[in-house]
Amino acid sequence: MAVTSAGILLHHGGPAPRVLIAHMGGPYWARKDARAWTVPKGLVEPGEDVVTAAHREFREEVGVPAPDLPAVELGAFRYASGKVVVVLAVEVPADLVGSPADPASDDLTTRPGVSTVEVEWPPRSGRRLTFPEVDRAQWTTWDDARERLVAGQVPAIDALAARGVPA
């Protein structure tokens, strides 16, 4: 059975529509930009519904809860590895950007509650280091998100566009 993850893609309209994406943490991704970003997401636990998992994972990865607003399922997107990511879209007011409740941050490494992962670094060194799963989150244009998201998540942006949401 395929591994399933669930995530939340925040978006807002207005004169400058944007989506919120997160840069993957750790040394492997540190100097990468293209295809090094993700929708905040994580594994759906056995018996857990995707909405609950998506909200839990958003809070764990970004360190703040996703806004409690209606979510629309954009689809289940299969990676080449076989992993499936269910992406939920949540439209937020544009004035969330820059407010105290804004989940975007140039440095998530110091935000309390951000989940971490332990990896061997450098590879085959035997040395285990801890890094945040994502190290920053930012609002970006839809076109920029298509260039920066991991390839398996780009169709989520297209699915959002197909729903008639203005980009």
Side-chain angles (χ1 to χ4, degrees):
M1 186 162 147
V3 172
T4 301
S5 287
I8 295 178
L9 178 64
L10 297 185
H11 66 96
H12 70 78
R18 299 281 190 265
V19 293
L20 183 87
I21 58 176
H23 185 265
M24 291 184 275
Y28 177 79
W29 302 104
R31 290 184 172 83
K32 297 180 186 323
D33 191 60
R35 303 292 177 235
W37 293 74
T38 184
V39 171
K41 53 120 183 79
L43 293 177
V44 177
E45 300 293 335
E48 186 177 38
D49 66 88
V50 295
V51 174
T52 301
H55 279 274
R56 175 181 47 77
E57 287 293 337
F58 188 97
R59 184 177 54 265
E60 288 177 2
E61 291 205 345
V62 182
V64 296
D68 188 20
L69 296 167
V72 175
E73 186 173 320
L74 295 177
F77 306 97
R78 185 174 298 277
Y79 288 12
S81 67
K83 179 179 183 174
V84 174
V85 178
V86 178
V87 178
L88 307 174
V90 174
E91 184 173 7
V92 299
D95 62 5
L96 173 73
V97 179
S99 78
D102 189 346
S105 173
D106 289 337
D107 183 7
L108 291 175
T109 62
T110 59
R111 185 178 277 174
V114 171
S115 60
T116 59
V117 62
E118 186 178 286
V119 296
E120 182 179 22
W121 194 260
R124 296 176 296 286
S125 68
R127 197 170 111 196
R128 309 286 299 173
L129 299 174
T130 302
F131 300 96
E133 286 189 63
V134 298
D135 56 18
R136 60 190 184 273
Q138 71 180 211
W139 294 99
T140 187
T141 66
W142 294 27
D143 287 339
D144 192 39
R146 284 184 180 97
E147 297 296 320
R148 297 165 87 187
L149 283 171
V150 294
Q153 293 177 16
V154 173
I157 301 296
D158 298 332
L160 186 60
R163 291 189 148 278
V165 177

